[in-house]
Amino acid sequence: MTTGLPPTRVLHLCAGNLYGGVERIVSECAADRGLCPEMSPTFAVCFEGRLSEEIDASGAPCARLGAARLSRPWTVVRARRRLATLLDGMDAQPIVVVCHSSWIYALAAPVVRKAGATLVLWLHNTVSGGSWPEWWARRTRPDRIIANSRFTGESVSALYAGASHAVLYAPVHTDASGADRSTLRTFLGADPLTPVILVASRFEACKGHRALLAAVAQIAEPWQLWIAGKAQRPSEDAYEQDLRRYAKALGVEERVRFIGERRDVAACMRAADIFCQPNITPESFGLTFVEALYAGIPVVTTALGGAMEILTGACGVLVPPGDERALVAGLRYLVADRDARLRLGAAGPVRAHELCDPRRQLAALAALVSGSNGPRVPA
């Protein structure tokens, strides 16, 4: 339903040097922009990479501000000048600038404030106020703050004392593209009957890969584990190599496949039977959990952070933090019981749509950034 008013001109800003949940959301805002006539979005990134490629592929305008690092002030000055030029050339008023991290917010906020545009900070991770980007970010108070979950929202006061915020779950669509289930399973070496467990995430210890390997090693029933992801930094590469050695030490390397970076994660989820990411620390939301629910497979994860806002006993299994026995039991239950997998999986798409339907969530974003719904941050 449209309001009859001209669409709000929104500029989304993101660093773009890595690719994870934040970048996935920005890409979603570009790909599904046609679902929300109330907004006219454009995009800008500092670094070329997968995110800029996806935005370009969507047909949405995407400016480049140039590689910038807060530790190299001249690169920040250059990026700010390019942003000022970009804002000056946008002929629609009012303009709303949405910053998708405290890092890009620290870089952009003074320029946006000087240009007279509405300044929005969309927090996709909890904040403590202690990092250098957050220290710089707190020097300019935003007009509006959006948190990607109630869990993230609880940390807002650490950055802006007394600030109000709105909670908005990310827009996520169901993706039916890619190879069909049987074709992909054959390609990745899984037979039709062996349950496949999938984890798809950045190679970071907090995602719980080691806990997952230790758990599946204790399950006697047939299973195969797919570990999807690509190391994006030297530390992640070292972690991946450690996981490979750990799988070998556990004697399960023949049942564990490292399937690399996948641009068809949704297809991999449809080809799998269980999604498991036993986080060691809280996830601010958990985009991959929503994608797994859309794919119709049950989710096993730790009862921490945003996961507790996504999953219910009808579509997944939440295990206590650090409880290896509970993790093993939850996985064994689903590995051994096909009917349970199908029952929990069938409830997933309904739950995912309930939380993250892109048409509804983009409309809610339009209302929030335009100020027609949601709080402004007190001065």
Side-chain angles (χ1 to χ4, degrees), residues 210-279:
R210 285 181 66 91
L212 175 54
L213 285 169
V216 294
Q218 299 177 54
I219 299 175
E221 292 85 353
W223 54 265
Q224 188 175 107
L225 173 62
W226 294 346
I227 300 178
K230 176 185 177 182
Q232 301 183 59
R233 295 177 290 195
S235 61
E236 295 180 12
D237 181 65
Y239 178 60
E240 179 184 352
Q241 298 311 311
D242 177 68
L243 292 176
R244 291 177 182 271
R245 290 190 293 268
Y246 189 49
K248 185 174 183 178
L250 291 169
V252 297
E253 71 273 20
E254 292 185 0
R255 293 199 279 174
V256 176
R257 288 187 62 96
F258 288 80
I259 63 175
E261 181 183 25
R262 304 293 307 199
R263 300 285 178 106
D264 61 345
V265 171
C268 291
M269 288 178 171
R270 295 194 304 274
D273 300 284
I274 302 162
F275 186 86
C276 182
Q277 183 182 304
N279 292 323

Side-chain angles (χ1 to χ4, degrees), residues 195 197 215-216 218-223 273-274 298-300 312-319 324-345:
I197 304 164
V216 294
Q218 299 177 54
I219 299 175
E221 292 85 353
W223 54 265
D273 300 284
I274 302 162
V299 174
V300 180
T312 70
C315 58
V317 176
L318 288 165
V319 300
E324 181 178 286
R325 183 176 299 180
L327 178 59
V328 173
L331 282 170
R332 180 179 287 125
Y333 163 61
L334 292 175
V335 164
D337 193 334
R338 180 176 181 273
D339 289 342
R341 295 198 302 270
L342 294 177
R343 183 178 67 254
L344 269 62

Side-chain angles (χ1 to χ4, degrees), residues 362-379:
L362 287 172
L365 174 62
L368 286 171
V369 299
S370 69
S372 60
N373 187 26
R376 292 183 64 87
V377 178

Side-chain angles (χ1 to χ4, degrees), residues 338-357:
R338 180 176 181 273
D339 289 342
R341 295 198 302 270
L342 294 177
R343 183 178 67 254
L344 269 62
V350 174
R351 179 62 176 166
H353 180 83
E354 178 181 80
L355 295 171
C356 296
D357 171 63

Side-chain angles (χ1 to χ4, degrees), residues 69-78:
R69 302 186 186 281
L70 298 183
S71 61
R72 300 175 183 176
W74 63 93
T75 65
V76 173
V77 171
R78 180 186 60 199

Side-chain angles (χ1 to χ4, degrees), residues 166-185:
V167 173
L168 180 70
Y169 294 142
V172 184
H173 73 263
T174 178
D175 184 357
S177 63
D180 63 42
R181 175 181 168 88
S182 60
T183 300
L184 192 50
R185 285 177 73 96

